[in-house]
Amino acid sequence: MAQLLCNFVSYSLRRSVDIAVILPTVSSCDFDLEQPPCHTPVCKYPVLYLLHGYGNDYKSWLRYTSAERYAEEKRIAMVLCNAENMCYMNAGTENKYYDFIAKELPEFICGNFPVSSNPRDTYIAGASMGGYGTLVHALTRPSEICAAGAFSPAVEIGSDTNLIGGSLNCLNLHSILETCRSQQTKLPKLFMCCGQKDFLYDSVAAFHLELEEKGYSHCWDNPPEFEHEWRYWDLKLEQFLDWIPRTDPYAQMPVHKI
């Protein structure tokens, strides 16, 4: 696998930014195969954009989960970026994080790496604040995303002004969902989970029920033993990658165990 740490100038954020890109590539397991190793991919990779939580940064998914191993085994690219504590929303002229995630980051990734820009190959997931960002993007631009994973999402960020994001004019997920329902919008496939010991559990479980009431089927996981913790999100990340619908050529290949 290849872990690429990139720095580039963002026109949405008006400054240089750091991101990490994980690409499935040659590993030591390939040395003794009958087919000689090659660094040229057979086609463009599907891609998962991974969003971090409040107080974290793009490296959190690398530090606390096996994201890099999963990317190699599942043959999927992963992109990790910073959003500071801005909830993946636009804030003023120099912190347009919604625009960065929705337009500029995919433009940069697909323009510079062997990564597919096809919505059928595009996935997004995040934990906590990143789970909120995941749901915002899945509900507001559903035609651009195949599937979304919200791990212990902070679903009330845009509803309660006392929570983080209150000064950012964050979008209200309940209002967005109602608009989707009234307009009969087809949403990406949704995967949502939260441990029952999590301090966000009641709000996440309520949103799960709201999705059901509005007729949006989705995967829901709520084990009794987990809190708001990386141990759980690591397990769910692997499960999410096994669950997502894939039509890319790599999906037909055996799991690349390392």
Side-chain angles (χ1 to χ4, degrees), residues 6 10 20-21 36 63 65 67 91 104 116 158 164 187 196 201-202 208 221 223 225 227 229 249 252:
C6 304
S10 164
V21 182
R63 289 174 175 148
T65 77
E104 184 177 5
S116 173
I164 58 167
L187 296 182
Q196 293 183 28
Y201 179 73
D202 288 345
H208 148 68
D221 180 79
E225 68 270 29
E227 301 180 20
E229 55 184 311
Q252 308 306 318

Side-chain angles (χ1 to χ4, degrees), residues 24-242:
T25 55
V26 173
S27 74
S28 58
C29 300
D30 299 317
F31 293 165
D32 298 322
L33 297 179
E34 293 182 7
Q35 184 72 22
C38 178
H39 287 296
T40 302
V42 297
C43 60
K44 292 185 176 182
Y45 292 110
V47 59
L48 170 64
Y49 294 90
L50 267 176
L51 309 184
H52 67 76
Y54 184 84
N56 294 150
D57 62 17
Y58 75 97
K59 293 182 179 179
S60 298
W61 284 103
L62 298 175
R63 289 174 175 148
Y64 304 131
T65 77
S66 296
E68 196 168 7
R69 176 168 61 85
Y70 301 151
E72 181 65 30
E73 291 183 345
K74 317 296 183 185
R75 293 185 172 89
I76 186 171
M78 293 187 185
V79 178
L80 301 83
C81 65
N82 283 329
E84 300 179 59
N85 290 333
M86 298 290 185
C87 303
Y88 301 92
M89 299 301 298
N90 289 345
T93 60
E94 297 185 354
N95 290 297
K96 294 183 177 180
Y97 279 106
Y98 180 93
D99 294 351
F100 179 72
I101 298 294
K103 180 180 183 295
E104 184 177 5
L105 186 58
E107 177 187 275
F108 177 81
I109 294 297
C110 298
N112 290 282
F113 299 97
V115 170
S116 173
S117 60
N118 193 320
R120 291 182 303 175
D121 301 327
T122 303
Y123 311 91
I124 189 170
S128 196
M129 183 186 78
Y132 166 80
T134 292
L135 290 171
V136 164
H137 284 273
L139 270 58
T140 57
R141 42 190 200 94
S143 64
E144 301 171 31
I145 296 169
C146 180
F151 310 149
S152 310
V155 294
E156 296 302 325
I157 283 180
S159 306
D160 187 343
T161 57
N162 294 317
L163 296 175
I164 58 167
S167 61
L168 298 175
N169 295 317
C170 289
L171 298 179
N172 184 310
L173 289 175
H174 306 287
S175 298
I176 301 173
L177 187 59
E178 175 57 26
T179 299
C180 291
R181 185 205 62 78
S182 64
Q183 296 178 354
Q184 298 184 328
T185 303
K186 181 180 179 181
L187 296 182
K189 288 182 67 69
L190 295 177
F191 178 106
M192 195 163 66
C193 62
C194 189
Q196 293 183 28
K197 291 183 178 180
D198 195 313
F199 70 95
L200 294 178
Y201 179 73
D202 288 345
S203 61
V204 179
F207 195 74
H208 148 68
L209 293 175
E210 187 176 350
L211 282 166
E212 284 192 335
E213 291 167 358
K214 287 182 166 55
Y216 287 112
S217 62
H218 57 286
C219 181
W220 166 242
D221 180 79
N222 62 333
E225 68 270 29
F226 289 105
E227 301 180 20
H228 203 71
E229 55 184 311
W230 282 103
R231 184 185 306 274
Y232 179 54
W233 302 332
D234 184 30
L235 294 171
K236 293 300 107 180
L237 176 59
E238 184 175 25
Q239 184 178 337
F240 174 71
L241 289 169
D242 287 334

